[in-house]
């Protein structure tokens, strides 16, 4: 397909109320998902994002990927014929992961576990160990989660692996919306691919989700209210942008290693 119809569900999540959060999420999917190819939800939308709560109840709130929440989302994905990116607290044995589960219409589930944890998350979650691209029926997508949009190398690695649309479930707090906006646009334009950043709102989170094209242009954006953003992404624009400015194909990776710094001829003050 050359066009991707994407929906970003900017939702509030009540900390600890998994049943209520999932019910509201499914209602939003049913209301806004028809006709879409891709639906993106915020980070940890099923549990809410509360690190102190996870210290006390994380093991009880988390679910395995074959648990009831992912199963319910998979049912909706199949009925709507759409791919859903679900932000969930995943339990695997004794480990807890901040996970974006990519649920395809055929029922298959591909988990991306947050690899770069924010410092306050290091004692709460286990870190994922691999990046992920998923070929959906409409496009190849690559997920990152919140803080990970601060690392340009991650988005570039996904772009080099053929990602057409970067999806970023997030929980950016009030006062830091500029990071969400700036980094999403930068990661899209850096790599000339689409980006969909879907943020939590309410309970201290800023909202301000956005959908960005390969030139860094904002196609749809939200304020602080609960809402559903929708945009049609012309995937051919990726090729046009890369043909116009072929930066991604002109990378010189051998210059980007730390041991290559001395080739710059770095000098200190006083040297001649």
């Amino acid at each position: 397909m050359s066009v991707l119809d994407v929906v970003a569900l900017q939702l509030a999540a009540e900390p600890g109320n998994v049943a209520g959060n999932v019910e509201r999420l499914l209602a939003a999917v049913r209301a806004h998902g028809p006709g879409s190819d891709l639906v993106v939800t915020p980070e940890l939308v099923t549990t809410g994002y509360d690190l102190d709560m996870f210290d006390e109840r994380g093991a009880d709130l988390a679910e395995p990927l074959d648990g009831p929440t992912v199963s319910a989302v998979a049912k909706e994905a199949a009925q709507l014929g759409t791919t859903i990116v679900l932000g969930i607290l995943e339990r695997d044995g004794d480990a807890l992961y901040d996970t974006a589960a990519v649920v395809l219409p055929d029922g298959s589930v591909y988990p991306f576990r947050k690899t770069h944890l924010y410092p306050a998350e290091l004692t709460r979650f286990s870190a994922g160990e691999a990046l992920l691209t998923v070929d959906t029926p409409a496009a190849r997508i690559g997920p990152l989660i919140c803080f990970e949009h601060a690392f340009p190398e991650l988005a570039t690695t996904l772009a080099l692996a053929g990602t057409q649309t970067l999806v970023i479930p997030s929980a950016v707090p009030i006062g830091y919306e500029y990071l969400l906006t700036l980094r999403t646009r930068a990661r899209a334009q850096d790599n000339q691919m689409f980006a969909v950043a879907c943020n939590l709102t309410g309970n201290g989170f800023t909202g301000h989700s956005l959908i960005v094209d390969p030139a860094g242009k904002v196609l749809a954006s939200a304020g602080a209210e609960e809402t559903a953003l929708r945009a049609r992404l012309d995937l051919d624009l990726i090729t046009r942008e890369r043909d116009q400015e072929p930066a991604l194909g002109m990378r010189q990776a051998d210059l980007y290693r730390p041991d290559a710094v001395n080739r710059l001829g770095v000098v200190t003050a006083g040297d001649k």
Side-chain angles (χ1 to χ4, degrees):
M1 295 180 65
S2 61
V3 176
L4 180 69
D5 194 311
V6 62
V7 174
L9 296 176
Q10 178 170 289
L11 299 171
E14 180 183 348
N17 183 9
V18 173
N21 293 334
V22 172
E23 181 179 356
R24 293 176 63 251
L25 168 64
L26 294 176
V29 169
R30 295 181 192 118
H32 303 287
S36 69
D37 302 302
L38 175 66
V39 175
V40 184
T41 74
E43 179 182 14
L44 297 173
V45 68
T46 61
T47 57
Y49 185 103
D50 185 321
L51 296 180
D52 291 335
M53 176 186 70
F54 295 145
D55 287 338
E56 298 177 4
R57 303 173 55 200
D60 296 327
L61 295 172
E63 296 182 35
L65 291 175
D66 59 358
T69 295
V70 174
S71 296
V73 169
K75 181 179 179 180
E76 295 298 331
Q79 290 181 345
L80 295 172
T82 191
T83 296
I84 301 175
V85 179
L86 173 68
I88 189 170
L89 182 63
E90 180 197 353
R91 183 176 67 248
D92 185 5
D94 294 329
L96 299 183
Y97 295 96
D98 184 343
T99 295
V102 181
V103 184
L104 269 61
D106 65 3
S108 55
V109 179
Y110 299 92
F112 170 69
R113 295 165 169 173
K114 191 173 186 177
T115 60
H116 290 58
L117 300 175
Y118 192 73
E121 298 171 341
L122 291 170
T123 59
R124 276 86 175 196
F125 306 137
S126 295
E129 297 179 347
L131 299 181
L132 174 72
T133 62
V134 180
D135 285 326
T136 76
R140 179 172 293 182
I141 67 172
L144 296 176
I145 300 176
C146 200
F147 180 55
E148 295 185 309
H149 66 187
F151 299 89
E153 298 93 334
L154 296 179
T156 298
T157 299
L158 292 174
L160 292 171
T163 294
Q164 295 165 298
T165 301
L166 184 67
V167 294
I168 313 171
S170 56
V172 175
I174 291 171
Y176 294 92
E177 53 271 9
Y178 70 97
L179 293 179
L180 178 64
T181 301
L182 175 62
R183 289 172 175 170
T184 302
R185 293 185 65 194
R187 300 297 82 80
Q189 198 284 323
D190 285 348
N191 301 288
Q192 296 156 316
M193 60 182 172
F194 290 95
V196 182
C198 187
N199 199 49
L200 281 175
T201 193
N203 301 301
F205 297 100
T206 188
H208 288 85
S209 301
L210 66 161
I211 301 172
V212 180
D213 80 2
K217 177 183 177 181
V218 177
L219 301 177
S221 61
E225 72 287 351
E226 284 193 301
T227 191
L229 297 182
R230 192 165 198 142
R232 289 177 60 80
L233 313 185
D234 177 4
L235 300 179
D236 290 337
L237 182 59
I238 297 171
T239 299
R240 295 199 296 271
E241 284 294 321
R242 291 178 179 175
D243 286 346
Q244 177 177 286
E245 185 187 51
L248 196 66
M250 296 180 68
R251 297 175 70 256
Q252 298 186 48
D254 60 325
L255 293 180
Y256 311 150
R257 303 190 315 269
D259 63 0
V261 171
N262 287 340
R263 302 180 197 174
L264 299 175
V266 176
V267 297
T268 59
D271 288 347
K272 295 183 179 180

